[in-house]
Amino acid sequence: MLTRQGIVAAVAGVAALVIGRMFGVIELFVIGAGFLAAVVVALVFVSLRAPSVTGTRWIHPKVLVAGDVGRVDLQLTHHGVVRSTRFTLHERIGRTHAPENAARLGVEPMAARSQAGAGYRLPTSTRGLVHLGPLTSEVRDPLGIARRFRPVAGTDTVTVAPRAHLLDIPTLGSGPLGRQLMATARRLGPGEFHSLREYADGDEPRSIHWRASARSETLLVKEYAVEGLRRVLIVFDADLASYADAASFERGVTAAASLAKSAGAAGLTTRFVTNGGNDLRGPDVAEHALALLAEIQPTSAPFGQLDRDPGEGVGLLVVVTGTTRSAGWRAASSVVDPTLTVVPITTDEAPRGPVGAAARTEAELVSSWRAITGRGSGVAAHRKRHETTGAVPGEQFTAPTSSGAP
């Protein structure tokens, strides 16, 4: 096809021929013929010299996080039997809710049946999908009159997940949330017998192991293992009416992504629920939740059935919403499950209750969550603890109880 310069040359050539013929000006006739001859030669050049190149695209990493800079590497193979001319690669880059742009890469002449590499950086600023391709090659004649495009590679899609912070996992007895979880664990009853210890002031007499005490010089008290946090149910309210504005909604996405990532890193049994019937369970919930949150848009669709979670042991129900006055909060917090401790995370108001957190900024999300979990607890310590003990996810604490002896 002709470039803009080629179109001008062709029009000028035709005009010169016509005027030269009409007025018998041989010089104009020659000039017009020269212009048209240059156009024909340029078209023949790009037709014969267009490189026969195919390419493979490698994206690092496959899933990006908003704010990261990825890289796209291209492996090119020239199938022609003669050396190629210099050509340019064009890669279309389309982003969700953003203008389309393109990457342009110059490639030096390639030897016959050879390979070469090229690449470019892929910056990201917001979550969503980035559509790459198709990748095409462009060759031009030396005068820039004509050009020809050929396909090199197809299309690819890159998922840009929302930013996610690694949050502390609450431990029983640590911070306001940990103390509430401890109370829930004790209310649910003791676990397996753990050990005997000496009686201390405040222990209930019914916890004394009388037979063991008779063989000892002091009174001995039975201790039972109290299982720690084992599961988490994350509910993200995606109704825009629950938020003050779009920025507040995006902070909610970040909070939900942080919870899913942290729970998955700690090995907790995780369930992720949001509007429109999205209910993620089973293995790899964190990965699937991040992929879902990368594309999620506000919707007024209901949650679906938020029935009691069939999991066992102490759990968390964390509801991410704009305000505790929203319909989404009322629907999620109405779940009746004595094993779950409900924690609201609000993006438009201060923390509500002793175990509430706020995310009016990303920094506040981290600080308010640390405040309710207590400093010194974290994902790494949580994982290390149950790797050492071989227990199911969740710490084990011992507490005296009145249950029967082992």
Side-chain angles (χ1 to χ4, degrees):
M1 60 181 296
L2 295 178
T3 63
R4 182 179 299 178
Q5 184 175 337
I7 294 174
V8 171
V11 172
V14 172
L17 283 176
V18 172
I19 295 174
R21 180 63 180 264
M22 290 177 59
F23 295 98
V25 181
I26 190 64
E27 290 82 1
L28 285 178
F29 193 86
V30 172
I31 291 173
F35 272 120
L36 293 181
V39 170
V40 172
V41 170
L43 289 173
V44 172
F45 177 89
V46 297
S47 177
L48 296 178
R49 298 293 288 158
S52 177
V53 174
T54 58
T56 304
R57 187 186 294 110
W58 302 93
I59 305 165
H60 313 281
K62 188 64 176 178
V63 178
L64 292 169
V65 176
D68 286 351
V69 177
R71 179 170 178 82
V72 179
D73 289 322
L74 303 170
Q75 181 68 41
L76 306 175
T77 302
H78 178 38
H79 301 280
V81 295
V82 297
R83 182 181 176 86
S84 75
T85 186
R86 190 181 189 278
F87 60 94
T88 303
L89 294 175
H90 294 264
E91 176 91 287
R92 291 182 181 178
I93 304 175
R95 305 175 190 271
T96 305
H97 307 300
E100 184 178 284
N101 51 26
R104 293 171 56 91
L105 305 170
V107 181
E108 294 301 318
M110 297 178 62
R113 303 189 184 282
S114 65
Q115 291 186 331
Y120 61 91
R121 300 173 68 197
L122 183 65
T124 62
S125 57
T126 59
R127 65 182 179 88
L129 298 180
V130 179
H131 304 284
L132 304 179
L135 177 67
T136 58
S137 66
E138 177 194 7
V139 64
R140 295 192 179 209
D141 69 283
L143 298 178
I145 294 176
R147 60 181 177 176
R148 183 178 180 183
F149 292 95
R150 274 190 172 181
V152 175
T155 60
D156 271 302
T157 300
V158 181
T159 300
V160 181
R163 284 188 298 274
H165 303 277
L166 201 58
L167 302 176
D168 294 337
I169 296 300
T171 58
L172 269 64
S174 176
L177 181 54
R179 289 191 289 272
Q180 188 157 330
L181 289 171
M182 174 67 85
T184 301
R186 285 175 170 168
R187 187 175 65 250
L188 293 176
E192 296 181 355
F193 175 78
H194 182 265
S195 63
L196 294 173
R197 64 169 175 82
E198 291 187 3
Y199 178 86
D201 291 340
D203 288 339
E204 296 184 8
R206 56 184 176 177
S207 66
I208 298 174
H209 193 306
W210 294 107
R211 286 187 297 173
S213 299
R215 297 190 297 269
S216 175
E217 296 179 357
T218 59
L219 293 177
L220 297 177
V221 176
K222 295 172 290 187
E223 286 190 322
Y224 287 81
V226 178
E227 289 188 342
L229 183 64
R230 299 180 59 183
R231 57 199 175 95
V232 59
L233 167 57
I234 304 167
V235 178
F236 174 57
D237 181 6
D239 189 350
L240 190 58
S242 301
Y243 299 88
D245 49 34
S248 174
F249 177 86
E250 290 300 323
R251 292 194 300 274
V253 172
T254 297
S258 301
L259 290 165
K261 177 182 178 180
S262 302
L268 297 177
T269 300
T270 308
R271 178 185 173 195
F272 186 90
V273 177
T274 188
N275 303 61
N278 294 299
D279 191 342
L280 304 179
R281 312 187 193 203
D284 302 322
V285 170
E287 179 182 343
H288 296 312
L290 289 175
L292 174 64
L293 290 171
E295 304 180 59
I296 196 167
Q297 297 298 321
T299 176
S300 58
F303 284 124
Q305 179 125 10
L306 275 173
D307 53 353
R308 176 175 175 175
D309 191 28
E312 298 179 354
V314 177
L316 280 180
L317 167 57
V318 187
V319 184
V320 180
T321 185
T323 169
T324 51
R325 297 184 299 274
S326 66
W329 162 255
R330 291 194 296 270
S333 60
S334 64
V335 177
V336 179
D337 189 337
T339 67
L340 293 178
T341 298
V342 182
V343 178
I345 296 183
T346 52
T347 60
D348 293 316
E349 64 184 18
R352 294 285 181 171
V355 294
R360 290 171 293 184
T361 64
E362 291 188 25
E364 186 182 38
L365 166 66
V366 176
S367 61
S368 63
W369 184 264
R370 291 189 66 188
I372 64 174
T373 58
R375 296 180 183 273
S377 61
V379 169
H382 184 270
R383 181 191 296 168
K384 181 178 180 181
R385 187 176 294 109
H386 64 72
E387 282 178 353
T388 303
T389 61
V392 295
E395 298 78 13
Q396 290 200 345
F397 290 79
T398 55
T401 178
S402 59
S403 297

